[in-house]
Amino acid sequence: MQTVDKTKELETQSIGRLLWIYAVPAVISQIIASVYNICDRVFLGQYVSALAISGLAITMPIMNIIHAFGSLVGAGSSARMSIVLGRKDIKWAEKILGNSMLLTFFFGFLFVAGGYLFLDNILTAFGASEETIAYARTYMRIVLPGMFLTTLALNLTGLIRATGYPTKSMLIMVVGAVVNIGLDALFICGLHWGIAGAAWATTIAMTVSSLWAITHFLLKSSFIRFRRHAWAPKLYIFRNILAIGFSPFSMNVAASFVVALLNRQIIRFGGDLAVGTYGIVNSFCSFLVMFILGVCQGMQPIAGYNYGAGKTDRLKGVYWLTMRVNVIFCFVGIAITCTIPAILMQAFTSDIEMINLGRPAMRYLSVMFPLIGYTITNSQFFQSIDKPWIAIVTSLSRQVIFLIPMMYIVPFFFTRWGWDGLTGVWVSCTICDVLGALLAWSLFLTQKKVFNPGYVPSHREKKEHGPTSD
């Protein structure tokens, strides 16, 4: 079967049409990815117990760290792939594919082995109590091996999208989600396996997705596919992948550790049910973030390709269109979360105390979402055009630079003034959304030159792109 270069349309079709073609499947993929966590919480809350939700919430930061390794390789390799394809260097693109697989295998071994060796210590560090650790331990022991397949699927679906197959990338994730939901119903409701059923459903679903993603790059009809020369390890390719991928990696890792600290603060002021409440609210917030990230993933191959091809007018066009779409969606999202928080909570649990805790939490954590959308879009854009330090600082600003001190300072003053300390924890998140957006705006102003006609990357940037052949 004849191969077809499907990336040529990235420099010829209209920006609006391209963003639609690439962003819609990416958004669906991101939303489907969030279904893995959401459907687990729904089934556990309705058919097991509220403490089971809390136990699952304890595992989320750990799962995010594992996903971070997937984004470290996946985001870096797909962004690098788009830039290289913009320069029409097919051999180099194939080397990126092979070397990204080597990195995935390496990191996969590390986190699976480390997870089993230190599981209880890790769970305790992330806020597990005597009541919730049994649920969390059962879930993680089953899920850990499957998490390697999760990182593999995240890497390969990003590369599938970057090489011109956004719809196929989406379908791989959709099929996995459908399998996950079906097996959740069978294992939890039908066979009464409890939280172990949720773990097995997730593991089997990701196995299906990862195997399908691998077959894409084995087909002779694929534009970029596995070739023998591409498996030779190249240090400059490792460096370039990791440099770009470090932004989403650091963001995910930081989020996991911050959630661990946040869980401790939540337990201090609200107890175990408050942790479960945060897990539910975070599911909805993550759902909104998934949409933003999906649009940005649709932007990534368009921005990266045209940056590599030197087409700055198209680069500017896709940036501003992506920004408008994300900010408008965020306003729609907060209209929902701030208007009907109790109804949204009831989808997960019938526990009245948890629902009452969730009303103010959902409003405080989502009210500044347009600013979050602005911050994330800036970070993802600069990641796409190989400016990792801008992306890293933007990503970490809210979660580390601002949130870590604020989660202690704000509740302290709330309790001193006779107010609820748990509300202080929620308010600290709101304040950090504002501060993070201000920093993102100031960093953007320093980099507007990338939109100037005839802009050429600096000597350092060109050098780090690596040789076109070996």
Side-chain angles (χ1 to χ4, degrees), residues 264-287:
R264 290 180 176 274
Q265 285 292 86
I266 292 170
I267 289 174
R268 176 184 175 187
F269 294 108
D272 285 331
L273 281 184
V275 173
T277 299
Y278 176 67
I280 293 174
V281 174
N282 200 35
S283 293
F284 281 104
C285 291
S286 297
F287 181 83

Side-chain angles (χ1 to χ4, degrees), residues 38-233:
I38 291 177
C39 70
D40 284 347
R41 285 190 174 98
V42 170
F43 280 104
L44 291 175
Q46 298 294 343
Y47 296 97
V48 185
S49 69
L51 279 178
I53 297 179
S54 296
L56 184 63
I58 294 297
T59 70
M60 288 302 104
I62 305 169
M63 302 281 280
N64 286 339
I65 290 176
I66 294 172
H67 288 160
F69 282 96
S71 63
L72 173 64
V73 180
S77 57
S78 59
R80 177 63 59 185
M81 180 78 77
S82 295
I83 294 171
V84 168
L85 290 176
R87 294 182 174 138
K88 314 296 190 296
D89 197 324
I90 306 304
K91 185 177 180 181
W92 190 2
E94 290 170 344
K95 290 176 183 177
I96 291 172
L97 171 62
N99 278 253
S100 72
M101 292 291 288
L102 295 177
L103 286 172
T104 300
F105 294 142
F106 172 74
F107 287 124
F109 171 78
L110 287 183
F111 64 67
V112 172
Y116 277 118
L117 287 174
F118 305 105
L119 183 57
D120 278 12
N121 292 334
I122 293 171
L123 292 174
T124 301
F126 280 92
S129 66
E130 292 182 1
E131 289 77 18
T132 59
I133 194 169
Y135 290 107
R137 184 191 300 119
T138 298
Y139 187 83
M140 289 304 300
R141 282 178 174 171
I142 298 169
V143 160
L144 268 175
M147 286 298 96
F148 163 71
L149 298 174
T150 301
T151 62
L152 185 62
L154 289 172
N155 177 26
L156 292 180
T157 52
L159 289 171
I160 290 171
R161 187 184 311 110
T163 54
Y165 296 86
T167 302
K168 188 171 187 178
S169 176
M170 174 197 71
L171 290 175
I172 291 172
M173 299 305 296
V174 168
V175 169
V178 171
V179 171
N180 191 92
I181 295 171
L183 292 180
D184 265 337
L186 174 62
F187 294 158
I188 298 175
C189 307
L191 301 179
H192 306 290
W193 287 2
I195 199 167
W200 280 114
T202 298
T203 300
I204 294 172
M206 289 314 301
T207 302
V208 172
S209 293
S210 60
L211 290 177
W212 188 5
I214 289 172
T215 61
H216 171 85
F217 292 105
L218 294 173
L219 298 174
K220 291 183 178 180
S221 58
S222 295
F223 169 48
I224 301 293
R225 58 182 183 271
F226 294 123
R227 296 186 187 275
R228 184 175 299 176
H229 76 87
W231 291 90

Side-chain angles (χ1 to χ4, degrees), residues 295-466:
V295 176
C296 289
Q297 284 185 358
M299 169 194 68
Q300 180 267 313
I302 308 169
Y305 188 97
N306 285 284
Y307 178 76
K311 297 183 177 295
T312 55
D313 56 332
R314 294 176 64 81
L315 186 66
K316 183 177 182 179
V318 73
Y319 170 82
W320 287 113
L321 180 58
T322 303
M323 185 66 73
R324 288 196 297 270
V325 170
N326 279 341
V327 172
I328 290 171
F329 171 79
C330 287
F331 277 110
V332 174
I334 63 173
I336 297 171
T337 56
C338 291
T339 303
I340 55 170
I343 294 175
L344 297 177
M345 291 292 298
Q346 288 169 7
F348 291 86
T349 182
S350 57
D351 188 287
I352 300 300
E353 183 178 355
M354 189 173 279
I355 293 172
N356 289 335
L357 287 170
R359 284 196 188 98
M362 190 165 292
R363 287 176 174 138
Y364 283 119
L365 294 178
S366 65
V367 69
M368 292 297 172
F369 245 95
L371 297 182
I372 295 176
Y374 174 81
T375 304
I376 292 175
T377 303
N378 269 300
S379 175
Q380 294 289 308
F381 173 76
F382 288 113
Q383 173 188 307
S384 300
I385 63 171
D386 195 14
K387 291 186 177 291
W389 78 269
I390 296 288
I392 291 168
V393 174
T394 304
S395 299
L396 296 182
S397 62
R398 176 187 175 272
Q399 299 180 78
V400 176
I401 299 173
F402 300 126
L403 185 53
I404 289 180
M406 284 294 177
M407 75 170 70
Y408 295 99
I409 294 171
V410 177
F412 170 78
F413 282 106
F414 266 54
T415 54
R416 286 289 297 271
W417 296 335
W419 299 343
D420 179 38
L422 184 60
T423 301
V425 176
W426 308 141
V427 170
S428 68
C429 298
T430 307
I431 293 172
C432 293
D433 294 339
V434 178
L435 297 176
L438 289 173
L439 180 59
W441 174 72
S442 64
L443 291 173
F444 169 76
L445 293 180
T446 69
Q447 299 296 318
K448 289 181 67 176
K449 62 185 180 182
V450 300
F451 298 140
N452 294 339
Y455 170 78
V456 177
S458 68
H459 175 71
R460 182 194 63 79
E461 288 173 309
K462 290 189 287 185
K463 181 179 179 181
E464 289 190 358
H465 289 153

